[in-house]
Structures are given as C-alpha cells and as structure tokens.
Amino acid sequence: MSTGLQNKAHPVSGARQHADGPRLLADIGGTNARFALETEPGEVTQIRVYPCTDFPTIEDVLKKYLKDAKVGRVNHAAIAIANPVDGDHVSMTNFKWAFSIEATRRALGFDTLLVVNDFTALAMALPGLTDAQRIQVGGGARRQNSVIGLLGPGTGLGVSGLIPADDRWIALGSEGGHATFAPMDEREDIVLHYARKKWPHVSFERVAAGPGIELIYRALAARDKKRVAPTVDPAYVVDRAHAGDALALEAVECFCGILGTFAGNLAVTLGALGGMYIGGGVVLKLGDLFLRSSFRQRFEAKGRFQPYLANVPTYVITAEYPAFLGVSAILAEQLSNRAGGGSSAVFERIRQMRDALTPAERRVADLALNHPRSIISDPIVDIARKADVSQPTVIRFCRSLGCQGLSDFKLKLATGLTGTIPVSHSQVHLGDTATDFGAKVLDNTVSAILQLREHLNFEHVARAIELLNGARRIEFYGLGNSNIVAQDAHYKFFRFGIPTIAYGDLYMQAASAALLGKGDVIVAVSKSGRAPELLRVLDVAMQAGAQVIAITSSNTPLAKRATVALETDHIEIRESQLSMISRILHLVMIDILAVGVAIRRAEPAGEMKQAVAKARSASTDDATAVLDWLSHGAASSAAD
C-alpha cells in the first residue's frame, strides 16, 4: 500500500528513487511498532504494524518487518520512538525494550541508524500537513514563521515544538508530559487525590494520556461510591461514553478539560503563535466527544492571557502515519549533511574536492559519502573492490584529503559521523554473547579514545614533554592497576638515555622520593587521584624541587597538586570493566609522551620548539594535527 504522503521539504514532483536504495522508517510507541519503506522522497510503501508485546526485542521486530517486506539490503534507517533519546542506550519508559543504537545498527547491517524521540519526528511533519490532514478546534489563526507547539496523548503524553530558523525548522526534544499536574477545580482535586494513592508524583501524563481516561473514570466512580470491574480499560470508558453512559461521559469531559489546560500551558511556554497541534490516537477515537468538550475553553482559560490564546489556533492531526513524514525529513537532513552540509568537516571536504578528483578516486569519494560505515569497517581490499578501483587509488584518495593514509582517514571519518557513533558507555550485561560484549568493549574503548582526543589539553602535553626531555631522572609511580602503566612507561623511557625507574610499592616510592631534587621528574599514574599516601610522597619530592606530571582524572587532589596534569576522563562502570578503559587511556598518554620525547631528541631543536609553540597557541584541531605529526614522525624512533 502507498500513502502518497508528501512533504514540502521533499517534493515528489520530479523525484526519483533513492540512489542508495529504500530507506526504512519506523514509528515505535508503547503499544505498536509501525514500519514503512521510503522508495523516493515522499513515497512511502510497505506499511506494516506489529504489536510490541509479540517481540522480545526491538531487533526481533525489525528483522520480522524486513522479512515480511521482502526487501533486499537497507542502508539507511530511522526510528521515531516514544522515549527520550540521549546517547547510545535507549530504555523505553512505557515498554520493556532496552537496546543499544549502535549494536542494533550493527546487527541489522545498516550503514545509518537514527533514533529520535517520536514527537520530535512528528513535529518535523507539521509544516508539511495540508488542511485535509488536520481539523481546527475553535478559533484563532496561524502566524507564519512562528513557533509551533505539539502534544499527543497516547500510551504516554508526548510534547515537542518547532522553532523557525531561516529556511528550516528546529525540532525540540521534550519530556514536558512529565510536568506536575495542577488541578483547576474540585473534580480534578478528587482525581489528583486518587492518583496520589498510586504515585508520589502525579504528572500530566498520568491523567492526560490514554491511561488517564481510566484513572479519571475510577476516581469519579470512587467519589460516587460505585464499583468498577478490574477489567475496565480506557477503550471501555470511551465506548461507554459514545453510548451515552453518564459517568463515562463525565470522565471523558474531565480528561478533555485537563488536556486543554496542559495545551494552554504549553502554548504560552513556547509562544506557539504558529498553532498548537494534537497528535496521537486517543483524541481521534474520542471524535465528536472531543470537539464538543471544554478543551478549547480550558485552552484559553489563562486569565489575563485569554486574548493571547484566543488568537492561537488548535488542530487535531488526522493524517495517517504522520510520524513517517517527520522521521523521513530528519533522516534526509542527516544524509544531506553528511554528503554536503556543514555539520562534518571531513564530509564537507570530500564534497568540495569531489569534482577535482580522478574518476577512480571519485568512486572512492562516493563510497565514503554514501556508505561511510563500509569505509570504517572494511579492509582496504574490500574498499577497493566495492569502489571498483585499485588499492593504491584508495591510498591516493586518502592522501588527497590531507590524511596520512587509510587508518588516519578512517579515524577522521568515524569522528565526522553523527547520530550513530557511540559517544557514551554501553553496559556489558550477563547473557551477552561474545559478539555482543566484545563489540561493546571495543566500542567503549574507541569512544573513550576519541573523547580524549577532543578534550585533551595539548598545551599541557607540550609542557610535560619539555619536562621529561630535560629531566635528570624520571621516576614512574603507580599503585595497583596503575603499576602496569608505570612499568610500561619505564620500559619505553629508559631507552632515551635518561635514568628511569618504576615503583609500584608505597614504601619504595617514599624512600626514593626523599632522594629527589631539582631536575628530577615524577610521573604519577592514578585513576582516582586521591590516595593520601601517594599525595604525601609527592609533596615531599616537590618540596625538594622535583616536578610532578600527573596522569589522572580531572579535579582530583593529584591533578590540582601536580606541576602538569594530563586529564583522562571517561565513562566506566568499575564492577563490570575493572578499570580497563582507564588503563588503556593511561597507556595512550604514555605513548604520546614517549613519542614526543623521541621527536624532541631526534629533530633539530628549532623545529621542535616551533611545534611546541604551535601546540600551545593552536586551536584543538591544529594541536591535534601537531600530535598526529609527532606520532607519525617518531614512529621509527619509538618502535620496539
């Protein structure tokens, strides 16, 4: 079935099929999961709806849809989900599914998997709705290029908004449905009192989402001392209201009034002069009951601001599957940014240089723009085969972009991707397969290294290299796990001809530190940076004139006390990973320092001074380039 949906941002007229194949669109709520394929801009087919309770995981329902739709490879997918989305891990509020975006993308073989809040997606569909896809409730007139508000009672109470920005819209991700419910009359006081027996905090979502109809019905029945069967649900109450049952009608009327109050609150909060839209399936099922209710009256009932709200129109969305419009627009913008927008420097660089490349190199460029995951994951032989070029052509393409080689290009490409690269910790769980926990450990480590690269203070790195290169003696101190890093550092630095030693015992650290003085350097490695005995040892050495370089977390006593602090913050769950990531980051820092000292001793002094000066004064990107130059240039000097 084809809906013929159209969006002003993506007109069908003159459109052609997506060159990278059909795109999977999904709208997942607490009850149903809806899927479709977009074959070209605005053309949505193969719509299917599955009950969420029929599937143990989101991965299972995705696989079921792909099998039922008999579709070949899908490269790009986008999911609108009834849940806040913040980072890689999503745990649904109104259903049991919890998943990693990156692990799901990998399991399904997608190049791109975007997951966004469902009402953020629905908001993006609003500018493209026609008069046939909405019904106005009450008066008011839309003001062009003004903020648009959105709410939707379903299993939960979704909230979003659109802010105009030049020729595009910015969608707000919001959890406004969880704002505290405030009753407006005695009847709503009764509802609040009843709800408080179940929950310590009563949000608008408790009373103005679909399940709120049942709650209000039971509260009013308790007021009238009427018994309610345990099997009563919102659908029963709505059916009874349509049949004319007095108590059910009162419950629906109370529900609509509360929803009107909440909509008015949202309108004045956002300044939604472009109109307030109501989505979700609940209001559509109420039909004429909603249109005849006190919703609009309560929407305007804001005292001195009644005239303000009287000019704000309210609409009920009647379009079928409107979230597909919005999530399609978000995915299209994401892919457009990747191919030619300004969101990523590496993708912008490829686009700008594409026409100047040879035909063979252009095929590698197109592969990188359309299938960046393939470039990141595949060995050079597979990249060359997919682009139908030779392996040297792949290397020439990377160097034409200013990269040292394929590995350097892969790192920059991974950093440039947005929306699907893991940027937060993915927890390892009991029952994970070797594939799952292996991938999580690797993803967590890669994520931590990329974050370190973005946030490391390169001026401090340059200062630490100066201290180590000029040191009379270097001692590495580490306790517990950190002793492994200290021993590794000792192995690397003793070859520079500088007297070095590593100690992992507090007694030996104290004894040796007492003999240090001016010109000596201690490198203290500690994840916590709080061991009082180690701090006392370092105080003794510093009072005698020794310098201390700390490799530790930020804002720790050790970081504050050291001559130079190299801070390595990251996300880690100790119980499950036993400081694995921190140790890897500490080893990386030692490698950076060792490479820097190796270059300092191998290159002419003037050249190194220029590099250090550049690292001190440059932006983060330029300073990173200096460190890249150091690591590549000193490879032979620092090799085993």
Side-chain angles (χ1 to χ4, degrees):
M1 167 174 81
S2 174
T3 65
L5 296 175
Q6 295 186 28
N7 188 321
K8 290 183 179 178
H10 307 287
V12 173
S13 177
R16 57 185 178 84
Q17 290 192 341
H18 293 306
D20 49 12
R23 298 173 181 178
L24 187 149
L25 309 177
D27 177 18
I28 296 177
T31 304
N32 293 311
R34 304 167 184 87
F35 296 94
L37 292 177
E38 185 185 62
T39 55
E40 61 184 57
E43 188 67 20
V44 179
T45 65
Q46 295 277 10
I47 295 175
R48 284 178 167 80
V49 182
Y50 302 93
C52 294
T53 53
D54 288 356
F55 301 90
T57 68
I58 193 171
E59 182 181 324
D60 292 322
V61 72
L62 281 162
K63 288 180 177 177
K64 172 66 173 172
Y65 173 74
L66 291 172
K67 180 180 178 181
D68 290 348
K70 295 182 174 61
V71 63
R73 175 171 173 80
V74 171
N75 294 309
H76 307 299
I79 296 173
I81 192 165
N83 208 76
V85 180
D86 182 15
D88 178 68
H89 186 75
V90 178
S91 181
M92 293 184 67
T93 304
N94 294 313
F95 194 61
K96 64 182 180 180
W97 286 344
F99 61 96
S100 158
I101 299 172
E102 173 62 13
T104 304
R105 181 204 65 78
R106 190 167 48 240
L108 274 299
F110 300 142
D111 282 344
T112 304
L113 175 59
L114 291 183
V115 180
V116 299
N117 176 266
D118 60 338
F119 268 77
T120 301
L122 181 55
M124 288 297 291
L126 299 182
L129 295 181
T130 66
D131 289 339
Q133 295 173 312
R134 62 188 175 209
I135 296 174
Q136 185 166 351
V137 181
R142 287 182 298 138
R143 184 177 297 180
Q144 295 296 321
N145 297 318
S146 296
V147 174
I148 299 172
L150 172 67
L151 61 92
T155 307
L157 181 60
V159 171
S160 186
L162 280 181
I163 299 174
D166 297 326
D167 59 347
R168 58 190 292 265
W169 295 91
I170 298 173
L172 297 178
S174 172
E175 291 300 318
H178 296 284
T180 304
F181 168 53
M184 292 292 291
D185 54 32
E186 291 183 5
R187 183 169 63 186
E188 293 176 13
D189 285 337
I190 293 170
V191 173
L192 177 61
H193 181 73
Y194 182 87
R196 277 182 176 158
K197 295 177 181 178
K198 300 185 66 174
W199 307 292
H201 174 252
V202 181
S203 65
F204 269 99
E205 182 172 89
R206 297 294 191 185
V207 293
I213 295 176
E214 177 191 345
L215 183 138
I216 294 169
Y217 181 81
R218 291 183 180 278
L220 298 182
R223 175 201 64 185
D224 297 342
K225 297 182 172 54
K226 293 183 178 180
R227 298 191 57 161
V228 177
T231 55
V232 167
D233 61 12
Y236 170 86
V237 177
V238 173
D239 288 343
R240 294 295 296 161
H242 281 299
D245 179 83
L247 183 61
L249 280 168
E250 185 181 5
V252 168
E253 168 60 28
C254 182
F255 169 83
C256 293
I258 292 172
L259 192 64
T261 294
F262 181 71
N265 290 348
L266 185 59
V268 294
T269 300
L270 295 177
L273 299 178
M276 282 295 307
Y277 285 76
I278 304 165
V282 173
V283 169
L284 289 176
K285 291 175 182 177
L286 293 178
D288 289 342
L289 294 177
F290 181 79
L291 298 178
R292 296 195 304 264
S293 74
S294 61
F295 169 82
R296 180 67 194 192
Q297 176 189 344
R298 290 283 294 273
F299 175 80
E300 297 181 12
K302 287 290 183 285
R304 293 171 295 168
F305 261 68
Q306 189 276 334
Y308 178 91
L309 287 172
N311 290 321
V312 177
T314 49
Y315 301 95
V316 175
I317 300 170
T318 59
E320 192 175 19
Y321 308 117
F324 289 154
L325 282 173
V327 79
S328 167
I330 294 172
L331 179 58
E333 183 176 3
Q334 168 77 10
L335 297 177
S336 174
N337 283 343
R338 181 179 300 171
S343 64
S344 165
V346 66
F347 287 111
E348 175 68 9
R349 177 72 172 156
I350 296 172
R351 185 190 66 81
Q352 290 177 347
M353 292 190 59
R354 185 183 179 282
D355 292 341
L357 299 173
T358 66
E361 291 172 346
R362 202 174 299 151
R363 291 198 291 274
V364 183
D366 291 340
L367 182 66
L369 291 172
N370 296 321
H371 306 287
R373 294 280 177 184
S374 179
I375 295 285
I376 294 169
S377 304
D378 290 346
I380 188 171
V381 61
D382 289 341
I383 295 172
R385 176 179 54 79
K386 290 179 180 180
D388 192 23
V389 299
S390 67
Q391 294 181 30
T393 298
V394 175
I395 299 301
R396 284 197 301 272
F397 166 76
C398 296
R399 289 177 177 166
S400 69
L401 294 174
C403 299
Q404 296 290 334
L406 180 59
S407 296
D408 188 32
F409 176 63
K410 285 185 175 186
L411 179 61
K412 289 181 170 60
L413 194 65
T415 305
L417 281 173
T418 57
T420 54
I421 281 288
V423 294
S424 62
H425 186 88
S426 298
Q427 179 62 47
V428 174
H429 300 287
L430 292 175
D432 280 354
T433 66
T435 300
D436 289 336
F437 67 69
K440 286 179 181 179
V441 170
L442 290 170
D443 285 347
N444 294 339
T445 303
V446 169
S447 177
I449 292 173
L450 290 175
Q451 290 180 58
L452 177 64
R453 185 182 182 210
E454 292 298 314
H455 298 104
L456 182 61
N457 187 318
F458 290 97
E459 183 175 298
H460 288 185
V461 171
R463 173 62 178 150
I465 291 171
E466 284 185 345
L467 291 176
L468 292 169
N469 187 60
R472 184 181 64 181
R473 177 181 177 85
I474 304 173
E475 297 194 352
F476 298 94
Y477 293 176
L479 301 175
N481 284 332
S482 296
N483 184 37
I484 299 172
V485 181
Q487 297 295 334
D488 179 77
H490 173 223
Y491 175 75
K492 287 183 170 71
F493 276 78
F494 87 95
R495 293 171 300 160
F496 295 138
I498 307 171
T500 62
I501 193 69
Y503 293 120
D505 176 79
L506 273 172
Y507 177 81
M508 293 300 297
Q509 290 172 359
S512 184
L515 303 176
L516 299 180
K518 188 174 182 180
D520 298 326
V521 176
I522 296 175
V523 179
V525 184
S526 172
K527 179 178 183 294
S528 70
R530 300 181 183 280
E533 299 87 353
L534 176 61
L535 295 174
R536 284 195 291 269
V537 167
L538 298 178
D539 283 341
V540 170
M542 293 182 76
Q543 288 172 7
Q547 307 285 333
V548 172
I549 298 171
I551 301 177
T552 186
S553 303
S554 61
N555 298 318
T556 61
L558 176 56
K560 295 175 181 178
R561 200 166 309 200
T563 310
V564 179
L566 305 177
E567 298 170 340
T568 56
D569 296 319
H570 63 284
I571 301 169
E572 185 173 67
I573 308 299
R574 281 193 196 176
E575 290 76 11
S576 67
Q577 292 209 287
L578 301 176
S579 299
M580 289 188 296
I581 294 177
S582 63
R583 184 166 67 246
I584 290 172
L585 295 183
H586 293 166
L587 288 168
V588 168
M589 283 307 313
I590 292 297
D591 282 348
I592 291 173
L593 296 176
V595 168
V597 171
I599 279 293
R600 182 66 183 267
R601 291 176 165 247
E603 296 289 339
E607 203 171 325
M608 184 62 194
K609 286 180 180 178
Q610 292 176 7
V612 171
K614 184 177 181 182
R616 284 180 165 178
S617 61
S619 65
T620 300
D621 287 342
D622 288 339
T624 303
V626 174
L627 263 295
D628 286 345
W629 172 77
L630 291 175
S631 59
H632 288 288
S636 59
S637 300
D640 288 335

